[in-house]
Amino acid sequence: MFNTTLCYLEQDGNYLMLHRIKKEHDINHDKWIGVGGKFEEGESPEECALREVKEETGLTMHSWNYRGIVTFVSDQYEAESMHLFTSSDFSGNLIDCDEGVLEWVPIGQIPSLPLWTGDRIFFRLLRENRPFFSLKLQYEGDTLVYAALDGTVIPCSPDF
């Protein structure tokens, strides 16, 4: 299992979303996600989030909220432990991202974008301002087949 971060920057009721269209053989191809990536050796979750946000967006986070841990299990890919952050306290100017196109998207419009099913679940938890959570998502191919929130099985739907 490897560790990653995912961060949603918020400004004026919008999240900064990354439309993953630039990399070949990308598990997230044509999906909309936040910014983040794999830990480097010795990094903490916060250090990884700060570095990845800066590298992918050009923006510097000054404060952030550590919202939860999402465990991804797949029949096709290595398991992943993703550390989820949000921030509305950042500065700088957006740069071009080599992984896709960055766009500010109204939070209410995000569910209509091409997303992973499990992402819809944690977006709901973020909207509800749920305290720190642990979410396990298990996929077979692109299909979410199992979800558990804080150790309790939930429906594989964002509307549970």
Side-chain angles (χ1 to χ4, degrees):
M1 182 178 296
F2 62 95
N3 285 295
T4 63
T5 58
L6 187 66
C7 188
Y8 290 97
L9 301 178
E10 185 176 356
Q11 181 177 331
D12 301 324
N14 301 292
Y15 275 145
L16 183 61
M17 300 293 291
L18 175 59
H19 188 197
R20 297 284 294 251
I21 56 172
K22 292 185 179 179
K23 290 174 68 174
E24 289 187 39
H25 310 293
D26 184 356
I27 183 176
N28 292 305
H29 182 73
D30 206 29
K31 298 270 197 282
W32 291 76
I33 63 172
V35 295
K38 292 182 180 180
F39 282 35
E40 291 185 352
E41 184 67 32
E43 276 187 323
S44 70
E46 296 82 4
E47 290 166 333
C48 180
L50 285 165
R51 177 184 54 75
E52 287 285 349
V53 166
K54 182 69 172 177
E55 288 176 2
E56 292 184 2
T57 71
L59 303 174
T60 301
M61 289 193 301
H62 303 293
S63 64
W64 51 87
N65 293 310
Y66 192 175
R67 304 297 298 273
I69 296 176
V70 182
T71 303
F72 291 99
V73 178
S74 167
D75 63 344
Q76 296 181 347
Y77 304 101
E78 182 180 355
E80 173 183 348
S81 182
M82 184 194 70
H83 303 259
L84 183 61
F85 293 86
T86 57
S87 175
S88 58
D89 183 16
F90 52 88
S91 63
N93 296 307
L94 279 180
I95 60 172
D96 285 334
C97 180
D98 64 359
E99 296 181 8
V101 176
L102 293 166
E103 185 176 327
W104 291 102
V105 178
I107 292 172
Q109 292 180 13
I110 290 172
S112 67
L113 299 173
L115 306 170
W116 290 99
T117 302
D119 290 16
R120 296 176 193 285
I121 295 172
F122 65 70
F123 270 118
R124 188 180 141 256
L125 298 171
L126 293 176
R127 277 194 320 270
E128 293 174 352
N129 205 23
R130 184 169 180 114
F132 191 90
F133 59 87
S134 173
L135 180 64
K136 181 177 181 182
L137 304 170
Q138 185 172 336
Y139 286 87
E140 289 179 3
D142 288 350
T143 303
L144 183 63
V145 297
Y146 174 87
L149 177 60
D150 297 328
T152 301
V153 176
I154 60 172
C156 295
S157 159
D159 302 320
F160 68 94

